[in-house]
Amino acid sequence: MKFSVHRFGVLLFALLWVAGSAFAADKPAKPAKKSSRDEVVTITTAQGIIRVILFDDTPLHKANFLKKAKSGFYDGTSFHRVIPNFMVQGGDVNSKDGDPSNDGLGQANEGTVAAELVAGHQHNFGALAAARQGDFANPQRASSISQFYLVQNHDGTHFLDGQYTVFGQTIQGLDVIDKIAALPRDGRDHPTGDAKMTMKIEKLKRKRITKLYGYKYE
């Protein structure tokens, strides 16, 4: 049986094309180009203004928080739990209703956000982290869909590292966190003074954020 050189060449080319396609398919996709702009979240309280940046490598938490903040969800909610030398916690819609007894309980079936426990994100002073149910009821350590806390201890609360998702950092207003933590409170650590908040989102160039607030992107 004759097997022409021409036919062999065509077959070889076809095999090389298939192999090349397979190799090309195995190439890792290029990482998405990081935007030159970022969102700054401004939290306005009676004690002053707090500004935070959200981390890109906790994308589920970042997207969820921005969506709620932009929608006005957080406007009128309170920092309903304040513990000096620890943290201030807020974001529960129940804190709008004037009944402090249900603050922090959240709404039935409101959902969660999957944990994003990124190595290197620590509970430093001013860290923004997601509240959640304890491990006994929540072994996956999924986060509350709305409640968050800001670390007020100046030395950090590092015993929580790796257990709760840290997804942002305060870039202005650390002194305001101190003022909120110092509010008078009842036996449930519920502040008896004004601890309500509003939120606003502003998109700025990252270089501008660094210039204004001294925050350095990695």
Side-chain angles (χ1 to χ4, degrees):
M1 176 180 179
K2 291 185 179 180
F3 195 87
S4 71
V5 173
H6 173 71
R7 184 179 177 190
F8 177 76
V10 171
L11 180 63
L12 179 62
F13 175 78
L15 288 173
L16 287 174
W17 183 84
V18 171
S21 298
F23 287 134
D26 289 338
K27 287 183 179 179
K30 290 183 179 179
K33 187 177 180 181
K34 186 174 289 188
S35 171
S36 63
R37 301 169 75 86
D38 199 5
E39 290 92 349
V40 175
V41 181
T42 298
I43 305 173
T44 301
T45 72
Q47 293 73 37
I49 288 175
I50 300 167
R51 288 189 170 92
V52 297
I53 282 291
L54 309 181
F55 298 144
D56 290 328
D57 54 4
T58 51
L60 299 178
H61 285 73
K62 182 171 185 173
N64 176 68
F65 195 83
L66 289 175
K67 180 180 179 181
K68 288 192 172 300
K70 290 175 180 177
S71 73
F73 175 91
Y74 289 116
D75 294 347
T77 62
S78 295
F79 285 100
H80 61 267
R81 183 171 176 239
V82 301
I83 303 177
N85 298 315
F86 184 29
M87 58 90 218
V88 298
Q89 180 176 335
D92 183 10
V93 70
N94 291 342
S95 63
K96 292 183 178 183
D97 66 11
D99 177 10
S101 67
N102 64 10
D103 291 1
L105 298 180
Q107 299 284 298
N109 303 315
E110 65 183 2
T112 57
V113 181
E116 294 178 298
L117 304 173
V118 178
H121 289 342
Q122 299 183 328
H123 283 75
N124 299 319
F125 181 27
L128 169 64
R132 65 173 178 83
Q133 286 187 309
D135 288 0
F136 64 93
N138 177 30
Q140 294 82 18
R141 296 178 171 172
S143 301
S144 165
I145 204 165
S146 66
Q147 294 188 53
F148 63 91
Y149 59 93
L150 295 165
V151 174
Q152 188 268 326
N153 190 306
H154 291 205
D155 294 323
T157 56
H158 296 295
F159 64 94
L160 298 177
D161 289 350
Q163 300 182 56
Y164 291 74
T165 297
V166 175
F167 64 100
Q169 177 62 41
T170 299
I171 59 175
Q172 186 183 54
L174 292 171
D175 60 320
V176 178
I177 299 175
D178 284 340
K179 291 175 183 176
I180 296 170
L183 286 169
R185 55 202 170 102
D186 62 20
R188 298 174 56 248
D189 295 318
H190 190 285
T192 55
D194 182 4
K196 289 191 178 297
M197 72 182 85
T198 60
M199 286 195 193
K200 182 181 72 173
I201 308 298
E202 186 178 12
K203 199 162 191 177
L204 300 173
K205 289 185 177 180
R206 293 179 187 242
K207 289 182 179 179
R208 177 73 172 162
I209 293 170
T210 298
K211 183 177 180 179
L212 286 174
Y213 306 113
Y215 180 76
K216 295 182 179 179
Y217 289 90
E218 295 182 359

